[in-house]
Amino acid sequence: MPPHETTQQDQENQQEIRRAAAAWGRRRLLTVTGAAAALAFTTNLPGSAQAAEADARTAVRADPFTLGVASGDPLPGSVVLWTRLAPKPYEPGSGLPKARITVRWELAHDRRFRRVVRRGKATAHPELNHAVHVEAEGLGADRVYYYRFRVGKWISPVGRTRTAPAPGADLNGLRLAAVSCQAYHHGYFTAHRHLAEEDVDLVFHLGDYLYEYAVDAHGGSRAYTDRELPALFNRETVSLEDYRLRYALYKSDPDLQAAHAAHPFLVTWDDHETENNYADDIPEDGGSSEDFLVRRAAAYRAYWENLPLRRPQRPKGPDMQLYRRVRFGKLVQFDILDTRQYRSDQAYGDGWHRPGPESTDSSRTMVGAAQERWLIDGWRASDAVWNLVPQQVTFCERRSTSAADYKVSMDAWDGAPASRDRLLAGAEKAGANNLMVLTGDVHRGYAYDIKRDFGDQKSRTMGTEIVATSITSGQDGEDKPANWDSYMGANPHMKFYNGHRGYVTVRLDKRQARADFRTVAVVTRPGAPISTAASFVTRVGEQGLHEV
């Protein structure tokens, strides 16, 4: 991997660090230097800088909508509309001056914009890499809308979005999809192209939207012969500029753009948006927390800039509250978790290990005490038919073998079983009905029954866990991974295990939920067809998966 080179932007960030040193104190940072470094990503923001306004007619000389459009975080009368101006997406600065640019937006009932219902102006700030987040308000509940942006003579692609139903709406059904783990260098985003054509109301992205690893000139497993990617992608992301450019690479993909343009997204991150298997302020390699928090601040800021998130999610230095709650009428409550930012460090140095005193310590947590309370309080107040928990890493117990010396993953909830037990006890006491956990991370499709006590398969089935496989990560995959027999034999609550790429769709109604595991056989070549590997239902008041 080529060494990381110091760029002009990196030098400017260091100047911000020095200017911030006198103004910040953070409880987890032990020195003034570390505190100032973290604050660098809170000072260089609109309002603290004095960027001039540019005339779009002269400042934007080529199509600025190379990264497409997106929408997300739907509420009953509001939705976030997103784009980022980038005439030259593979260059630092994206081919734009360091100036404010006015962007016009429109929202309509029809794709041809003959019935426009809202329009307005937004400012693309250079401090935010010319990203635009419009929180369109005053909309009808549970309505489909179309949207687009204008800059000078340029018009963006048209996106389609949908608002959430009213809080008391008596919905007959809801259709959603769950995706995760889209390593650009492991293949084509063919599954996203198929997802764009699915009839779903919203999409959950469960993490690993991008990967920090280097991408070579030929796009890794994509093996391009018709183009060469710039050398600046062929290094691990560390600085703010690195992360911004990596999002530009991913979001320039036409299949990912199609999925975003077709459906509103609700997003949460996992590890690779920052660094593999980090835990709170502890990096993978066990280095300095201070240095890592600077990197985390850069990663979090680039994440917010490039996804359709609301103002409350905008990061403050190395902190960003991503966990949040969304209701869709009386039918479903979504409690979206963050299992990275507040978790305990992985026991036994990470990896797969036999459970022991370090991993089973009652103080260990996957989400932090505040988020645990928030989730259980939310269940206590919920009167929804379904309680869905979109989150990152495998929730159910997953033993490696039936033998007595089995191992479990220290990066998953198995590495902090006390935290899982507290949540299950809280769900039981709260009477959380029809619980379903949506998971990503592991590059496999799984379906589980959630047992109250995984050591006693006769214990109560509390709900179900549906694990979406990866979009590309792990390359082409296979129908039955090599450890299929071991896993299925060691985990009776595991009802399905498949190693191909794709996504999951879930259809909820008042009687049941149906999960369809949608897969493609190949991602190292474009254009593979989609098929359904398996389908399962779980019924209201009768939790447990049944194959159909």
Side-chain angles (χ1 to χ4, degrees), residues 145-256:
Y145 293 97
Y146 298 88
Y147 62 96
R148 65 186 178 187
F149 300 89
R150 293 174 181 262
V151 173
K153 68 177 182 178
W154 306 98
I155 301 177
S156 75
V158 174
R160 177 185 179 276
T161 192
R162 189 181 194 119
T163 54
D170 189 17
L171 299 183
N172 290 322
L174 178 71
R175 300 153 297 185
L176 63 91
V179 300
S180 70
C181 303
Q182 51 193 46
Y184 187 98
H185 58 294
H186 277 186
Y188 290 89
F189 294 165
T190 308
H192 274 307
R193 177 65 61 174
H194 292 295
L195 176 58
E197 298 169 359
E198 294 273 7
D199 182 17
V200 297
D201 299 307
L202 73 164
V203 175
F204 286 93
H205 201 294
L206 302 173
D208 293 345
Y209 192 96
L210 59 67
Y211 279 68
E212 75 275 30
Y213 304 137
V215 181
D216 67 23
H218 303 292
S221 296
R222 295 187 177 208
Y224 290 143
T225 58
D226 61 342
R227 74 198 82 170
E228 286 192 3
L229 298 177
L232 52 77
F233 294 124
N234 198 19
R235 65 190 188 207
E236 184 167 332
T237 54
V238 176
S239 70
L240 178 58
E241 183 178 285
D242 291 336
Y243 286 107
R244 284 171 164 174
L245 286 165
R246 194 61 50 87
Y247 278 105
L249 175 63
Y250 277 60
K251 294 185 79 70
S252 66
D253 182 273
D255 295 336
L256 178 57

Side-chain angles (χ1 to χ4, degrees), residues 81-320:
L81 310 178
W82 175 94
T83 193
R84 184 163 76 78
L85 308 183
K88 297 180 179 179
Y90 293 175
E91 295 182 6
S94 304
L96 292 172
K98 291 185 177 180
R100 292 177 283 123
I101 298 174
T102 297
V103 180
R104 299 176 184 271
W105 59 272
E106 294 179 301
L107 197 73
H109 287 305
D110 65 300
R111 188 176 288 275
R112 295 187 177 183
F113 291 83
R114 292 173 176 169
R115 294 183 294 151
V116 175
V117 294
R118 290 286 184 276
R119 56 166 52 96
K121 297 179 181 178
T123 300
H125 293 278
E127 297 91 346
L128 297 177
N129 207 24
H130 291 103
V132 176
H133 295 75
V134 173
E135 296 186 18
E137 306 282 356
L139 308 179
D142 200 17
R143 292 292 301 269
V144 171
Y145 293 97
Y146 298 88
Y147 62 96
R148 65 186 178 187
F149 300 89
R150 293 174 181 262
V151 173
K153 68 177 182 178
W154 306 98
I155 301 177
S156 75
V158 174
R160 177 185 179 276
T161 192
R162 189 181 194 119
T163 54
D170 189 17
L171 299 183
N172 290 322
L174 178 71
R175 300 153 297 185
L176 63 91
V179 300
S180 70
C181 303
Q182 51 193 46
Y184 187 98
H185 58 294
H186 277 186
Y188 290 89
F189 294 165
T190 308
H192 274 307
R193 177 65 61 174
H194 292 295
L195 176 58
E197 298 169 359
E198 294 273 7
D199 182 17
V200 297
D201 299 307
L202 73 164
V203 175
F204 286 93
H205 201 294
L206 302 173
D208 293 345
Y209 192 96
L210 59 67
Y211 279 68
E212 75 275 30
Y213 304 137
V215 181
D216 67 23
H218 303 292
S221 296
R222 295 187 177 208
Y224 290 143
T225 58
D226 61 342
R227 74 198 82 170
E228 286 192 3
L229 298 177
L232 52 77
F233 294 124
N234 198 19
R235 65 190 188 207
E236 184 167 332
T237 54
V238 176
S239 70
L240 178 58
E241 183 178 285
D242 291 336
Y243 286 107
R244 284 171 164 174
L245 286 165
R246 194 61 50 87
Y247 278 105
L249 175 63
Y250 277 60
K251 294 185 79 70
S252 66
D253 182 273
D255 295 336
L256 178 57
Q257 288 189 17
H260 273 300
H263 312 298
F265 273 56
L266 280 160
V267 302
T268 189
W269 54 36
D270 195 15
D271 51 342
H272 288 288
E273 289 91 348
T274 302
E275 183 196 49
N276 179 57
N277 281 18
Y278 80 93
D280 192 3
D281 58 358
I282 302 170
E284 180 184 23
D285 63 4
S288 163
S289 289
E290 291 180 307
D291 290 341
F292 177 70
L293 284 172
V294 177
R295 179 178 182 178
R296 200 177 90 170
Y300 284 14
R301 180 160 165 181
Y303 183 83
W304 187 86
E305 289 174 352
N306 284 281
L307 289 165
L309 289 160
R310 294 182 178 272
R311 283 187 295 271
Q313 275 64 61
R314 197 163 88 173
K316 297 177 181 177
D319 297 315
M320 178 173 168

Side-chain angles (χ1 to χ4, degrees), residues 219-489:
S221 296
R222 295 187 177 208
Y224 290 143
T225 58
D226 61 342
R227 74 198 82 170
E228 286 192 3
L229 298 177
L232 52 77
F233 294 124
N234 198 19
R235 65 190 188 207
E236 184 167 332
T237 54
V238 176
S239 70
L240 178 58
E241 183 178 285
D242 291 336
Y243 286 107
R244 284 171 164 174
L245 286 165
R246 194 61 50 87
Y247 278 105
L249 175 63
Y250 277 60
K251 294 185 79 70
S252 66
D253 182 273
D255 295 336
L256 178 57
Q257 288 189 17
H260 273 300
H263 312 298
F265 273 56
L266 280 160
V267 302
T268 189
W269 54 36
D270 195 15
D271 51 342
H272 288 288
E273 289 91 348
T274 302
E275 183 196 49
N276 179 57
N277 281 18
Y278 80 93
D280 192 3
D281 58 358
I282 302 170
E284 180 184 23
D285 63 4
S288 163
S289 289
E290 291 180 307
D291 290 341
F292 177 70
L293 284 172
V294 177
R295 179 178 182 178
R296 200 177 90 170
Y300 284 14
R301 180 160 165 181
Y303 183 83
W304 187 86
E305 289 174 352
N306 284 281
L307 289 165
L309 289 160
R310 294 182 178 272
R311 283 187 295 271
Q313 275 64 61
R314 197 163 88 173
K316 297 177 181 177
D319 297 315
M320 178 173 168
Q321 183 171 320
L322 197 57
Y323 67 87
R324 59 208 189 279
R325 181 169 293 124
V326 178
R327 285 288 299 259
F328 267 59
K330 295 180 179 179
L331 185 63
V332 58
Q333 175 172 295
F334 298 111
D335 293 298
I336 304 164
L337 300 188
D338 175 357
T339 64
R340 283 294 163 191
Q341 191 175 181
Y342 316 103
R343 64 179 290 163
S344 303
D345 191 17
Q346 292 91 343
Y348 300 111
D350 206 358
W352 285 69
H353 296 275
R354 183 82 174 93
E358 186 176 342
S359 63
T360 60
D361 189 305
S362 62
S363 67
R364 293 188 60 76
T365 181
M366 287 295 292
V367 294
Q371 194 176 180
E372 281 188 14
R373 288 193 302 271
W374 170 85
L375 180 56
I376 293 171
D377 287 347
W379 283 335
R380 189 177 297 119
S382 175
D383 59 357
V385 176
W386 293 95
N387 288 283
L388 264 69
V389 182
Q391 56 96 52
Q392 295 77 31
V393 295
T394 303
F395 185 79
C396 286
E397 185 177 78
R398 183 172 43 131
R399 298 186 181 190
S400 61
T401 174
S402 300
D405 60 347
Y406 69 89
K407 297 178 180 180
V408 294
S409 170
M410 295 295 113
D411 190 55
W413 287 81
D414 278 338
S419 187
R420 178 173 60 202
D421 289 345
R422 286 192 295 270
L423 290 187
L424 290 178
E428 189 170 47
K429 187 175 181 179
N433 296 321
N434 307 309
L435 178 65
M436 179 180 287
V437 176
L438 296 177
T439 300
D441 181 61
V442 287
H443 312 166
R444 300 286 189 268
Y446 292 104
Y448 296 95
D449 287 346
I450 300 174
K451 306 301 292 185
R452 181 63 182 86
D453 178 0
F454 288 100
D456 178 6
Q457 288 293 314
K458 294 181 180 180
S459 67
R460 178 186 174 192
T461 297
M462 296 282 294
T464 57
E465 181 179 14
I466 302 298
V467 182
T469 186
S470 64
I471 292 291
T472 56
S473 302
Q475 301 170 307
D476 291 334
E478 60 284 298
D479 186 51
K480 285 188 176 183
N483 58 1
W484 190 91
D485 288 327
S486 297
Y487 272 24
M488 295 298 286

